[in-house]
Amino acid sequence: MRSPQTEKANLLLLGLAFILIGLNLRPILASVGPLLPSIQEDISLSFTLASMLTLLPVLAMGLGCFAGFSIAKRLGFNTVMTGSLLLLIVATAMRFWAMDASWLICSALLAGIGIALIQTIMPAMIKLNFGERVPLMMGLYVTAIMGGAALAASSAPFIGMNLGWRAGLGHWTWLGIVALALWLMVKHNAALPSQTTEQTVQLSFWRFRRSWLLAIFFALGTSCYVCVLAWLAPYAVELGYSQTQSGLVLGFLTSMEVIAGLVFPWLASKSTDRRAIVALLCLLQLIGFMGLALAPQVSLFLWAGLAGLGIGGIFPLGLIVTMDHQQNPMLAGKLTAFVQGVGYTIAAISPWIAGLIRDNFNSFNSAWLLLGGLSLMAWILSWQFNPQGYARQYQVTRCVS
């Protein structure tokens, strides 16, 4: 029988492991944009083709979410987490030896599969292990994801200047190794989701209108997120910023995402109705993207910061609102997997569209205006998330396969 102190220590270590794992889920995406000019000087890579380095992992993240729970059921949640971390480490290390665009794209695809499996099972594991602390832990986990992006975006140009762009992309391997080592130490202390009832197994979320509404809301926010990861730094370079300065602009945006990921889930936890917070976040996004498109000369850091606050808050709130719809950890995990699967699959095309706009119109301005429109759409959708009606959205007796 473990003492309360031991249980608390184990929970803290497990939370730290989840945070470290979260830190590893975005550097392979966020390190590309600031180094894109150097990559394009060395290998043939158009903006449209460069978008594949974001599109493919995000698409793999979406499609992988649909299979994640089936794989975890067969192999075990611990095994899937360990294998996914190994896959992400290998994919990142491949970039040390990248010789052409196909090598980079292959590593991006492998990384996307590993990220997808982790993101599929993590919400269910958090909900089961952290109970009433779920909003806090989800906030920390999602903040860690955005923190990894901030760290990669800010430091990749400095590493690239001294060691070359391949090192700037690949040196994040060490962060994955640290996370894997800690996970192997604490994984036996984690309570694992289990499918205890036939109802849990058979509930088909794709049949419910609310599932699709949640998925579209998540897709809108994620489209904004992946587009700024892919194209904000190249946009800054086109405005006359140096490669290092462009990395700092993206790093500042992702730093604001980190702050938002800590602050707004905490504010949202004070009420079961999250709609007012989501509306504020959509407004911040809208202002930021309008500023990037129409008045970048005022201050690129200002507009990037406002957009970052909005994006950084909407991403965890989208997951938290989704989990609010189900009390059972396994059902909450499956619903979140569905929402992420559809959301990431839809959002994957947004960097490609923005890259296509850039190649055809020699400007990213139309892309920023489009993202402003998506922010407005997200605000309109969010007002349907009244917690008083959540119980009516999923009538289990009606929709089982």
Side-chain angles (χ1 to χ4, degrees):
M1 189 74 177
R2 294 174 179 174
S3 66
Q5 291 79 9
T6 301
E7 292 287 350
K8 185 176 181 179
N10 289 338
L11 193 63
L12 286 173
L13 284 174
L14 183 62
L16 179 59
F18 287 169
I19 290 170
L20 277 175
I21 291 169
L23 279 171
N24 280 272
L25 301 185
R26 291 299 180 272
I28 200 162
L29 300 178
S31 58
V32 173
L35 294 171
L36 188 58
S38 295
I39 298 172
Q40 289 177 318
E41 287 177 4
D42 197 20
I43 63 176
S44 178
L45 194 68
S46 68
F47 285 95
T48 304
L49 187 58
S51 71
M52 295 294 109
L53 299 180
T54 303
L55 184 155
L56 286 178
V58 174
L59 181 61
M61 286 156 58
L63 297 177
C65 285
F66 295 118
F69 267 93
S70 296
I71 295 172
K73 181 183 176 183
R74 291 186 177 92
L75 302 180
F77 280 77
N78 282 348
T79 301
V80 169
M81 184 71 79
T82 302
S84 298
L85 284 170
L86 283 170
L87 190 61
L88 187 54
I89 290 169
V90 170
T92 307
M94 285 175 62
R95 296 192 163 184
F96 280 116
W97 299 280
M99 300 307 297
D100 53 30
S102 62
W103 190 270
L104 289 173
I105 290 171
C106 181
S107 67
L109 186 58
L110 289 176
I113 295 170
I115 294 169
L117 295 175
I118 291 172
Q119 291 186 160
T120 300
I121 64 175
M122 186 65 84
M125 296 185 73
I126 288 175
K127 193 169 183 70
L128 184 60
N129 283 277
F130 289 89
E132 295 180 354
R133 300 184 184 91
V134 165
L136 174 62
M137 191 62 228
M138 279 299 297
L140 292 173
Y141 163 67
V142 174
T143 299
I145 293 177
M146 294 181 290
L151 183 62
S154 300
S155 62
F158 294 97
I159 298 169
M161 281 191 304
N162 293 289
L163 301 174
W165 63 263
R166 291 175 179 84
L169 296 179
H171 83 288
W172 301 104
T173 304
W174 66 264
L175 187 61
I177 293 172
V178 172
L180 177 62
L182 181 58
W183 168 249
L184 292 175
M185 289 173 55
V186 304
K187 67 176 185 176
H188 300 296
N189 295 323
L192 302 177
S194 60
Q195 295 172 310
T196 56
T197 67
E198 198 67 22
Q199 185 183 81
T200 300
V201 176
Q202 294 184 354
L203 187 61
S204 300
F205 287 112
W206 66 270
R207 299 185 179 186
F208 294 91
R209 177 181 176 274
R210 176 50 59 94
S211 301
W212 289 97
L213 186 65
L214 289 165
I216 292 171
F217 177 78
F218 185 80
L220 294 173
T222 304
S223 294
C224 297
Y225 178 64
V226 297
C227 269
V228 295
L229 279 184
W231 299 125
L232 181 61
Y235 179 60
V237 170
E238 291 188 349
L239 293 177
Y241 288 68
S242 69
Q243 191 166 313
T244 301
Q245 290 172 329
S246 70
L248 291 176
V249 172
L250 180 56
F252 180 69
L253 178 141
T254 50
S255 297
M256 292 299 100
E257 291 177 347
V258 171
I259 292 172
L262 290 171
V263 172
F264 289 106
W266 173 74
L267 290 175
S269 69
K270 296 183 178 299
S271 171
T272 57
D273 192 341
R274 330 282 192 186
R275 289 177 293 175
I277 298 295
V278 172
L280 173 61
L281 295 170
C282 292
L283 178 62
L284 290 171
Q285 274 192 177
L286 179 61
I287 295 172
F289 287 129
M290 292 298 102
L292 287 174
L294 303 177
Q297 72 281 0
V298 172
S299 174
L300 202 59
F301 281 92
L302 171 63
W303 306 131
L306 290 174
L309 287 173
I311 294 169
I314 283 182
F315 186 62
L317 261 293
L319 295 176
I320 291 170
V321 168
T322 298
M323 296 174 73
D324 285 343
H325 283 73
Q326 296 292 336
Q327 296 304 310
N328 179 285
M330 195 64 171
L331 286 174
K334 283 191 167 185
L335 176 58
T336 306
F338 173 86
V339 166
Q340 290 184 101
V342 175
Y344 281 122
T345 302
I346 295 173
I349 66 171
S350 60
W352 175 78
I353 292 174
L356 199 62
I357 289 172
R358 168 59 183 79
D359 279 338
N360 285 279
F361 297 99
N362 294 316
S363 173
F364 284 112
N365 288 350
S366 297
W368 303 134
L369 292 173
L370 179 61
L371 294 180
L374 297 186
S375 303
L376 186 60
M377 290 175 59
W379 172 73
I380 294 171
L381 286 180
S382 71
W383 283 102
Q384 299 191 48
F385 300 147
N386 185 343
Q388 295 182 356
Y390 287 171
R392 299 192 301 271
Q393 300 303 323
Y394 293 97
Q395 298 297 328
V396 176
T397 55
R398 294 182 192 172
C399 296
V400 293
S401 57

